[in-house]
Amino acid sequence: MHQLQSLCLATLAKVLSVHRVSTRFKCTDGRPSAPLGSRILTNPDDIFQHNMWDHVQWTKEDVENAQIKAEENSSVRIPFSEQATFDTDACRYWDRFYELHQQKFFKDRKWLLLEFPELFPSDLKSQEGDTRHQQQGRCTHLDPNANPQHLRQDAGPETYKAAERVSYPGQHADFRILEVGCGVGNSVFPIISNIKEKGAYLYCCDFSPCALQLLKGHPDYDDSVCHAFMCDICEEEASLPFPPHSLDVVLAVFVLSSIHPDRMQGVVNRLSSYLKYGGVFLFRDYGRYDFSQLRFKKGRCLSDNFYTRGDGTCVYFFAKEEIHHLFSKAGLEEVQNVEDRRLQVNRGKKVSMHRVWMQSKYRKPYPLSPC
């Protein structure tokens, strides 16, 4: 285990010397021009100059060692007869987590503005006018790159007309966002600070009463632009305070990984049904062979790449292909689906850890426009 947590400086330098990193300025593998950080380690001697290095490419040996560790810690699994409680009692485990840690465990996600600019549209009225002008007189597919809220004015399908007849919080907003699994608001408050007076509205939900109480009690919570509500997104008949086809963005950050793998597809399908045509599903979560997966001990594994922590909360580690299948099966089209591989460094203890996160964006495709 000690070897997993740290590499001696000489060994680390040898490994890093053969790493090849892609710069952030090239669009490769569906990657936009400036994603996922720009701190590139080019000189192994500089490793302890910063706490994190971006775009670290693994060697074949790195991958093989990670696979061995994952096989080892999943070789002894929790008996099937004991596994149900981690699914049925998930709310209780997370509620106890927030009672213990309050608002002190996670940091606010200020990186959202850079990585997910789809959350913060600028000058909505101007964009609406531009889009109507661009689409006037066309007889073709609706523009997949257009701002998603425009379909209401452009196409006016019955689904949108029905949505507008229903009264609900945020109904008159030009742009609507839903964050699922909001916790105590580590994404909520950075979003709120950027959408005020911009015609946008944020919904956020969690199934932990303690988390929602802490969120609503925060001095930055603003119910004029935000509606927080309790919801278990795994429930097929879960009630959401807005109609289908009413959202421009669904945001899920380190949420789907806590759900049993058998439930994930149903959750993505249901959430996708609330997106407008052209709306986007933004996703960030744990990637396969992240350091946190490899440090699990034997006896904590529930199923392939799915584990339970000591506090009863669960975590799944995604592969790129699984994510594509998950969202494609829900009828969404890939915009971005990348592995975020970083080297996290503890400069005090002189140790390093390979981190792997997944970041994806999937769009709900527009229907054909009638000629």
Side-chain angles (χ1 to χ4, degrees), residues 3 13 140 157 176 249 263 271 281 284 368:
Q3 291 178 344
T140 182
R176 305 185 195 97
V249 176
R263 292 177 177 265
L271 293 174
F281 201 127
R284 186 169 175 85
L368 289 172

Side-chain angles (χ1 to χ4, degrees), residues 256-286:
L256 295 186
S257 58
S258 65
I259 297 173
H260 193 285
D262 292 345
R263 292 177 177 265
M264 289 181 190
Q265 189 66 64
V267 169
V268 174
N269 290 351
R270 285 190 292 277
L271 293 174
S272 299
S273 71
Y274 288 91
L275 281 172
K276 300 174 184 177
Y277 296 116
V280 290
F281 201 127
L282 305 178
F283 168 88
R284 186 169 175 85
D285 222 314
Y286 294 102

